[in-house]
Amino acid sequence: MRILLVEDEEKIALFIKRGLQEAGYQVETCGDGNQALDDARNTDYDVVVLDIALPGRDGLSVCRALRQHRRTMPILMLSALDSVPDRIAGLDAGANDYLTKPFAFEEFLARIRALLRKIDATEATSLECADLRVNLLSHKVERAGRPIELSNKEFALLEYLMRSQGRIVTRNMISEHVWNLDFHTMTNVIEVYINYLRRKIDDEFPLKLIRTIRGRGYQISGEP
Ligand code: CA
């Protein structure tokens, strides 16, 4: 497993690199945002660990640019910032997880393992629900053959609903799986994103796929 570690503070970079190598990972380091973007676009890393405050280009911008270029590798964002808006900004930029410095190294490793497990679990390359089709590799979404543009976050939410097709997912489950954040900070954000998805996926079609299950959560289903 090959990891790109983007961190400009040498001591921290060396500490993390050694720890990852001891855990058996191959690690390359980079201390500049522009260089990191080049490296991550041109090499197939299994995970990118990305600091936010970087010379050249900050981590949020690197992350956004990678997702715009359809690079789908898991990204773990590191930052000294710990307010909820900062974490949301990191995740909305397309990061899969967010860890605040200083962190316990064991927790850092556990998060890397969790990100790698998610890749292994991705066996299907496309998911379908009625006439809605979601390609997990290209991130192309279409309904009745018409392409639908989604943001990274909308896509992640839709992917989670599709993987749970026919089951009810609670807001708590969504916040854990899609945002990796505590439920109580997330309620409004989830509703907002469900509405974004509905507008793009259901509004123009008589059969509504995304359903609200009152008092419990949401469900995607192709059954009339
Ligand atoms: Ca830094």
Side-chain angles (χ1 to χ4, degrees):
M1 288 293 175
R2 204 166 171 201
I3 296 178
L4 176 65
L5 169 62
V6 187
E7 167 61 83
D8 59 313
E9 289 166 73
E10 273 181 37
K11 271 189 189 166
I12 297 178
L14 195 63
F15 169 76
I16 296 177
K17 183 180 182 180
R18 282 200 186 130
L20 283 171
Q21 284 174 330
E22 275 170 24
Y25 299 103
Q26 262 186 285
V27 185
E28 280 154 54
T29 54
C30 171
D32 174 275
N34 287 313
Q35 184 64 47
L37 180 56
D38 269 0
D39 289 354
R41 279 186 65 188
N42 297 315
T43 309
D44 276 319
Y45 291 103
D46 294 297
V47 175
V48 174
V49 177
L50 188 57
D51 189 24
I52 288 190
L54 292 169
R57 185 190 257 270
D58 73 35
L60 293 172
S61 159
V62 173
C63 190
R64 254 182 243 117
L66 284 172
R67 297 313 190 208
Q68 273 159 12
H69 288 101
R70 299 275 172 228
R71 304 297 284 162
T72 57
M73 78 281 268
I75 296 176
L76 171 58
M77 203 82 104
L78 296 182
S79 171
L81 310 168
D82 187 30
S83 71
V84 169
D86 289 323
R87 281 195 283 162
I88 291 175
L91 297 168
D92 278 348
N96 302 76
D97 201 355
Y98 191 107
L99 194 56
T100 305
K101 294 189 282 190
F103 48 81
F105 200 73
E106 285 308 313
E107 182 183 357
F108 173 76
L109 285 179
R111 286 174 187 254
I112 296 278
R113 286 195 299 272
L115 289 174
L116 291 168
R117 266 200 306 277
K118 280 186 195 163
I119 314 178
D120 287 342
T122 310
E123 285 153 11
T125 56
S126 78
L127 299 170
E128 282 174 32
C129 179
D131 54 358
L132 176 68
R133 186 167 299 160
V134 175
N135 188 306
L136 299 174
L137 297 179
S138 65
H139 281 203
K140 283 196 180 118
V141 177
E142 48 177 51
R143 182 144 187 208
R146 251 187 280 165
I148 296 170
E149 288 290 323
L150 297 183
S151 71
N152 286 325
K153 214 62 223 175
E154 290 163 357
F155 184 88
L157 176 58
L158 178 62
E159 179 182 347
Y160 181 61
L161 290 170
M162 294 284 277
R163 285 184 186 281
S164 316
Q165 213 174 129
R167 283 186 288 149
I168 296 169
V169 294
T170 64
R171 290 177 184 83
N172 207 357
M173 288 159 75
I174 292 174
S175 66
E176 267 181 42
H177 284 88
V178 181
W179 275 272
N180 296 335
L181 288 174
D182 292 340
F183 166 58
H184 57 90
T185 62
M186 294 296 300
T187 317
N188 291 333
V189 181
I190 290 169
E191 277 166 23
V192 166
Y193 274 86
I194 288 279
N195 285 334
Y196 288 161
L197 273 185
R198 281 198 164 122
R199 223 171 286 155
K200 293 183 176 180
I201 282 165
D202 278 340
D203 267 12
E204 292 173 40
F205 298 89
L207 176 64
K208 310 299 180 196
L209 303 178
I210 299 171
R211 288 125 197 226
T212 301
I213 312 296
R214 195 174 285 276
R216 298 180 68 190
Y218 301 99
Q219 183 179 37
I220 198 163
S221 166
E223 280 165 33

